Amino acid sequence: MARVQKKIRQERLREKLSSTPFLTDEELATYLGVSVQTIRLDRLELGIPELRERTKLMAEEAQNKLKTIASADVVGELIDLELGKSGISLMTVTSDMVYEKTKVARGHYIFAQANSLALAIIDAPIAVTGVANIKYKIAVHESEKLVAKAEIIKKRGNKYFIWVKTRNDSQEVFRAKFIMVSLESDLHKE
């Protein structure tokens, strides 16, 4: 019986990490109702690296796909990129990103993460932000990890309609609807 449970647990572990790859071993242990050591053994047996290594591998793979902007121009760490479709970036709010008195994150950092991610997912050599409709939903504080997910909703001509939703570990903190404009035709004029 234990063998069947182990297989089921390992399958649930694999599924959970494919849908939410940034979970720690502690969070996975709580989710599956087992010890952290059991999670580590299961990951080892399944060939799944630890969180830091998973994040690093995903970031390297995503940055190699960038087309519209350089990896240095992405605010946060680009974790996943499906060019022309979607992307994910991760940003930890550091002390230099918050107001000194309140320790609340400055909005332009959160916007910059979303805006650069929206540019990154476009499959074009050059693009700019045409329109941004944004909403800050709750205050973000120092040390919070923000995961931004961008998705191209539609493309009309040289315009890309992109939604970006940013979450901390428990709720949505920011969302934006962008219209990005590809300037491919401008490249050919030079």
Side-chain angles (χ1 to χ4, degrees), residues 84-144:
K85 190 171 182 183
S86 63
I88 301 172
S89 88
L90 177 66
M91 180 176 75
T92 301
V93 178
T94 58
S95 60
D96 60 318
M97 295 177 177
V98 298
Y99 292 107
E100 189 174 322
K101 185 176 179 182
T102 61
K103 301 298 183 202
V104 171
R106 299 167 190 259
H108 63 272
Y109 286 103
I110 300 168
F111 173 82
Q113 178 191 23
N115 190 59
S116 64
L117 180 60
L119 278 171
I121 68 173
I122 296 173
D123 189 6
I126 183 170
V128 295
T129 304
V131 176
N133 179 340
I134 63 174
K135 182 175 184 179
Y136 294 91
K137 300 184 80 177
I138 65 163
V140 173
H141 299 89
E142 186 176 343
S143 302
E144 285 190 57

Side-chain angles (χ1 to χ4, degrees), residues 13-14 17 21 23-25 28 39-40 42-58:
L13 172 66
R14 192 185 304 272
L17 283 175
L23 294 175
T24 63
D25 286 347
L28 290 166
I39 293 296
R40 290 182 180 146
D42 283 350
R43 274 194 309 92
L44 186 64
E45 196 173 304
L46 295 169
I48 299 171
E50 66 175 338
L51 174 62
R52 184 176 295 145
E53 188 63 24
R54 284 194 311 270
T55 304
K56 183 179 162 195
L57 290 170
M58 290 174 74

Side-chain angles (χ1 to χ4, degrees), residues 45 121 151 172 180 187:
E45 196 173 304
I121 68 173
E151 182 181 1
E172 189 174 274
M180 300 302 207
L187 284 177

